[in-house]
Structures are given as C-alpha cells and as structure tokens.
Amino acid sequence: MPLLELRGVTKGYVEKGKYFPVLDAIDLVVEEGEFVTIVGPSGSGKSTIIRIAAGLIPPTGGQVLYRGQPLAGPNPGAAIVFQNFALIPWLTVQENIELVLEARGLPPRQRVRTALKYIDLVGLDSFEDAYPRELSGGMKQRVGFARALAVEPELLLMDEPFSSLDILTAAGLREEFLKLWTGGKLSIRSVVLVTHNIEEAVLMSDRVVVLSARPSRIVGEVSVALPRPRDPHSSDFELIMDRLYALIVSSHIGR
C-alpha cells in the first residue's frame, strides 16, 4: 500500500467570478521508502501539491489518500520544511520546536527532551536559547528541519528548503540531510521534495516527477538509480539531467 496517493487531484481558485485552474488531474503515488522530487516551472503548482499532501488546503477535485485512507484535514503522519523558515521571531530555537510538540499534545518534560534531541541532531547544540534574528539563514533552516523532524513524521514534505540559502550552505545542508535519511536515524518513511533545481533533484531523489506549466499536469518522470553519494560530474548523472531537461522543454513546446 502506498504511503501517499493523489488521485485525479485538481486545484483552482475563483477571482472576480472566473475560475483559474492550477492543478489538472494530478495522479501521484509515493511508496514507503521513496524519496520523490517534483520539478516544474515557477507558478506550476509545486507548492500547492505539498500543501494538499499535508492536508493544509483541500483539493478542488479528486482524492488524497494517506496509507489508503482518504485525507480530510491535516495529515497526521506528515510534516513540512518551508522555504522561508517560518520561525516565530519572538520565540527561541527551543521554544519554536516545542510549540509544534505542544500542538501534538506532548507533556512539558517530553517536549523539552524531544526538542533538545533534534536541536543536537541538526547541529545546533548550544543555540537552544538563541532567537531567529541571531541566526544565519542556514541556521534558521536547521531549526526548520529540527521542528519538522521533532514530530517524528512518516512523511516529510519539503517546499524548496534550500533555495533561500547560499550555494555552499545549501550544499552542506543537503549532504547532512541525506546522511540522516540514508543512515536510518529518522522516523521518516518517505520524502517529497519540491524544487526548481534540476541538479538538486537528481542529487537527492529516487524518482523525479516533472510538471507542465499551469494548469499543471504530470508530463513524465525519471528514475534515479544511482548509488549515494552521487557525483554531479559523472556521465550517468549528466545523462539523467539531460533526460529531465528534455522532458521539461518538450512539455513547454507541447503547450
């Protein structure tokens, strides 16, 4: 049974009496143990898919299933890492993480233990009492990862989590996350990443799904059967990159 399944999912909005489609009949299956990345042009609805999978917004049509059960409301098995960190500025690092644990109903002592555990896991030990304004962009995103991991989700949804970081910081954080993912140190069963960075998609994923321009459809997918860690300069890596670029270009020509 898939961990996550989108069946014929559509999404649109109404403005001044006119309907504007965003997603058009999205069929997506995420199996347990998979790292799936969604790529596509800006405005194609990639982030919308993440929010629908998390149960934060409902689809206009179609169905979302989590472990075979229809999703109605927030997905209890999922957590999100956002692009813009989404930290509460007047709370410390530890308090930002404890807040989501409190919402999950954890008692105070357990909240403290769990928050400290994941602060240490993402390399922020000794920054428990720091406020977001005192942190670099990379450190803020580490808090974002710690907050998502602390609820010990089965499904981790990542909405362009590295795009706001400089190249070196993003590369380091990607590498650290992949080590946690492949090292079996996390509760996560599957990951869905949204990105506009094709190299990042091939570097991290088991499978890359390509969206067309809006209203978005899935125009194809490419398997990434390369051993980790991956070499972006290898011929096999570059061949997969070329296949993805060809899919993206052909989808634009076809529209």
Side-chain angles (χ1 to χ4, degrees):
M1 179 187 298
L3 190 65
L4 176 72
E5 188 173 0
L6 277 62
R7 294 181 180 174
V9 165
T10 63
K11 184 65 180 179
Y13 62 94
V14 176
E15 186 175 308
K16 296 181 180 178
K18 185 177 180 181
Y19 180 75
F20 293 90
V22 178
L23 303 177
D24 180 18
I26 299 294
D27 292 313
L28 177 66
V29 174
V30 179
E31 300 288 351
E32 192 162 339
E34 268 197 307
F35 193 130
V36 177
T37 294
I38 301 171
V39 300
S42 296
S44 60
K46 300 186 297 295
S47 296
T48 301
I49 291 176
I50 287 288
R51 282 157 174 75
I52 289 174
L56 298 181
I57 58 174
T60 303
Q63 193 175 36
V64 182
L65 304 177
Y66 186 76
R67 290 200 174 276
Q69 299 299 312
L71 192 63
N75 190 332
I80 299 183
V81 181
F82 296 96
Q83 175 183 358
N84 61 355
F85 317 134
L87 303 181
I88 297 176
W90 57 87
L91 298 183
T92 65
V93 167
Q94 184 173 330
E95 289 168 344
N96 264 281
I97 297 169
E98 283 192 44
L99 188 65
V100 297
L101 299 174
E102 182 180 4
R104 294 286 179 115
L106 270 68
R109 288 186 180 180
Q110 189 176 350
R111 292 201 299 264
V112 171
R113 287 196 303 270
T114 302
L116 293 177
K117 171 186 174 181
Y118 285 96
I119 287 170
D120 183 58
L121 188 69
V122 301
L124 284 177
D125 188 34
S126 79
F127 285 92
E128 298 89 349
D129 297 325
Y131 289 90
R133 65 177 179 275
E134 300 171 317
L135 305 177
S136 66
M139 293 170 76
K140 289 176 184 176
Q141 194 56 292
R142 287 176 189 272
V143 181
F145 272 100
R147 180 180 54 194
L149 297 176
V151 300
E152 300 185 341
E154 292 184 313
L155 174 64
L156 185 65
L157 304 166
M158 302 200 290
D159 187 6
E160 301 199 36
F162 310 106
S163 63
S164 297
L165 308 176
D166 65 79
I167 294 174
L168 291 177
T169 301
L173 198 50
R174 275 195 297 265
E175 182 179 353
E176 289 179 41
F177 177 76
L178 283 172
K179 285 180 180 178
L180 291 174
W181 164 249
T182 58
K185 296 182 179 180
L186 304 175
S187 64
I188 299 165
R189 297 289 179 266
S190 302
V191 179
V192 178
L193 167 70
V194 156
T195 183
H196 61 270
N197 185 326
I198 306 301
E199 182 176 308
E200 178 176 283
V202 179
L203 191 68
M204 302 191 76
S205 317
D206 300 311
R207 182 162 55 99
V208 183
V209 175
V210 179
L211 292 183
S212 69
R214 185 184 292 189
S216 298
R217 301 189 308 267
I218 292 177
V219 295
E221 61 177 59
V222 175
S223 175
V224 188
L226 299 176
R228 295 183 176 97
R230 294 170 180 165
D231 178 7
H233 304 292
S234 72
S235 58
D236 289 339
F237 192 101
E238 291 175 352
L239 182 61
I240 293 172
M241 291 267 291
D242 289 344
R243 289 176 62 193
L244 283 169
Y245 276 120
L247 261 178
I248 291 169
V249 171
S250 65
S251 73
H252 279 280
I253 293 174
R255 309 282 301 217

